[in-house]
Amino acid sequence: AVTGQWTTRKPDDYYKPAWRKRRAAGPVLTNLIHEIDTLRVICGEISAVGGQTSNHVQGFAKEDVAAITLRFESGALGTFILSDQAFSPWGWEQATGENRAIAKSGQNAVRFIGTGGSLEFPNLVLWTPDGERCDWGTPLKAGAVQSQTGDPYMAQIAHFCAVVSGEAEPLVTVADAARSLAATVAVFEASQSGRTVSLLDSGKPVPPGTSS
């Protein structure tokens, strides 16, 4: 199982441009899509999406909050909470501090929960049993997973330049990006229909509009 959240409060001035009040500029399409990318890389393809959205706080066309359920082809299940009106320390940028406009909290925002241990992400705290058994009577120990760090924005630009100059192939294909987009926009359909949206048919993307 996996559970995560991207919950931060954007400044009031952020919404002065009228286009940022529209659904196309809301947190589902602006922010959730990056989380979907990450979850697909780690957990595999998403086969179904459920969700609810609300614009109760600001009353704009775009959503203030979304609650999402995910089913992966592997059989894993996930939940995700998203909001651009929540003042909290739980979000990717708060965890990593990679965006200077967003205050760093260092608090992990995603948890991968398995039968033999669990991993907090993105700062990689691994929880494993402190003993031979692995059940609720066994104490847990936390360990840090070593990893390399760097400036993701610089790495992204360097890769982009390499692709433009013909020195490298894109790490993300158009088809791969389309899968992430399909899973993201499915949140809107799920919220409007009240039904789970099926995304995959024999491994091929199904356009949003197919419900189960």
Side-chain angles (χ1 to χ4, degrees):
V2 57
T3 183
Q5 55 191 111
W6 190 94
T7 46
T8 189
R9 182 167 180 172
K10 295 176 181 176
D12 292 341
D13 288 350
Y14 180 89
Y15 302 101
K16 283 185 176 179
W19 64 269
R20 281 183 167 164
K21 300 175 183 179
R22 300 171 185 165
R23 190 178 79 165
V28 167
L29 284 172
T30 303
N31 306 108
L32 178 66
I33 192 166
H34 301 296
E35 307 294 340
I36 293 293
D37 270 334
T38 300
L39 293 177
R40 286 184 54 244
V41 169
I42 296 173
C43 299
E45 294 300 341
I46 298 170
S47 60
V49 176
Q52 293 290 329
T53 63
S54 172
N55 64 348
H56 178 74
V57 176
Q58 291 177 301
F60 300 151
K62 65 92 183 171
E63 66 285 349
D64 301 314
V65 62
I68 300 130
T69 60
L70 303 167
R71 177 180 290 276
F72 296 86
E73 279 194 306
S74 64
L77 299 179
T79 62
F80 207 92
I81 295 292
L82 175 81
S83 177
D84 63 1
Q85 289 299 296
F87 187 66
S88 88
W90 302 299
W92 178 277
E93 292 86 354
Q94 290 101 315
T96 63
E98 66 187 31
N99 187 331
R100 296 180 181 179
I102 300 175
K104 181 179 180 179
S105 68
Q107 298 297 309
N108 284 304
V110 181
R111 290 172 175 82
F112 299 94
I113 307 163
T115 57
S118 296
L119 178 69
E120 293 185 57
F121 193 78
N123 291 326
L124 302 180
V125 178
L126 181 63
W127 292 89
T128 54
D130 190 10
E132 295 182 1
R133 295 175 56 186
C134 189
D135 57 35
W136 64 12
T138 306
L140 289 89
K141 58 183 179 181
V145 178
Q146 298 301 315
S147 64
Q148 294 182 340
T149 59
D151 188 323
Y153 295 108
M154 294 300 294
Q156 184 178 28
I157 291 299
H159 176 63
F160 179 75
C161 292
V163 171
V164 171
S165 64
E167 299 173 7
E169 292 295 320
L171 293 174
V172 178
T173 66
V174 172
D176 191 48
R179 285 182 181 270
S180 289
L181 180 59
T184 302
V185 298
V187 173
F188 293 129
E189 184 183 349
S191 178
Q192 291 166 356
S193 68
R195 304 177 69 182
T196 299
V197 178
S198 176
L199 289 178
L200 299 177
D201 179 15
S202 301
K204 297 180 180 180
V206 176
T210 303
S211 300
S212 62

